[in-house]
Amino acid sequence: RAGGAPAAPPAGGTWQVLLESGWATIDAAGQHIMNGAVAAGQTSIRDKIAGREYFIDFVAKKQTNCRTGKARDIRCAPAGAAAPAAKPSEAGGTWQIMLNDGWKVMDAPTSATLSQAAKAGQATVQLRQRGYDYTVDLAALTQTNLATKAVRQIRFV
C-alpha cells in the first residue's frame, strides 16, 4: 500500500484484539475511535480504550498498552466474523472481568445475573456492587462504572 496507509475498515467491520482466549471485539467507544482514525487517514493513534491508554499502529496491526508495554495483534474483521458471543448456557463456563492484574472470575450472584440476562436475550444489565452502579453490555462484553465511566472487558469462558 502506497505510503503505508492503513486499509480502510470493511463496511460493517468490527475491530478486534487477540487475547489469550482468542479474538475479542473492542468496545463501542473503541470502535468509534479506531474507525474515525482510519477514516481520517491516520496510520497510528494514542488513545484511551476500555479504560486503558494504548498506542495503536494500524499498519503493523498492533495495539500496545502504554503502561505495561504489552503488544497485541488487532484486526478489523468483516461483518459476520465478529468474536463469538458469550454462551452462558454452556456447562462449566464462568463470567470473568479484566482487572489491572488480569482476568478474574466474577462472584456467583453476579455470574448468575449475567447468565440469566444473556439467556433472556437482554442487551444490557444494571448492577450494584460494592456501593457502585454498573451497566454491563452483553453485546460489547463490557462493564461500565456509571460514576467513574471506567470501562472494563468481560467474557464468558
Side-chain angles (χ1 to χ4, degrees), residues 8-116:
T14 302
W15 284 102
Q16 299 175 332
V17 61
L18 185 57
L19 304 175
E20 287 79 7
S21 60
W23 288 102
T25 300
I26 293 172
D27 69 24
Q31 299 289 332
H32 180 74
I33 291 166
M34 294 170 76
N35 285 327
V38 169
Q42 294 178 275
T43 58
S44 64
I45 59 169
R46 184 178 178 133
D47 213 318
K48 199 168 194 175
I49 295 176
R52 292 175 178 77
E53 189 171 353
Y54 293 102
F55 174 77
I56 299 169
D57 183 328
F58 296 110
V59 176
K61 295 189 175 156
K62 292 283 183 189
Q63 166 190 284
T64 304
N65 183 307
C66 292
R67 185 180 62 82
T68 66
K70 181 163 180 102
R72 297 182 186 271
D73 292 333
I74 60 170
R75 70 180 182 186
C76 190
K87 296 178 184 173
S89 59
E90 293 177 359
T94 59
W95 284 97
Q96 299 178 345
I97 186 165
M98 175 60 86
L99 300 177
N100 293 336
D101 58 343
W103 288 102
K104 302 297 177 188
V105 174
M106 292 183 167
D107 63 63
T110 301
S111 291
T113 298
L114 296 179
S115 290
Q116 289 170 356

Side-chain angles (χ1 to χ4, degrees), residues 111-153:
S111 291
T113 298
L114 296 179
S115 290
Q116 289 170 356
K119 286 178 191 174
Q122 288 179 243
T124 60
V125 178
Q126 303 300 315
L127 297 174
R128 181 157 181 87
Q129 300 173 310
R130 298 174 312 281
Y132 292 97
D133 293 313
Y134 298 93
T135 296
V136 176
D137 185 325
L138 294 171
L141 294 177
T142 59
Q143 173 189 279
T144 303
N145 181 313
L146 299 179
T148 66
K149 305 299 182 210
V151 178
R152 295 187 183 271
Q153 294 177 349

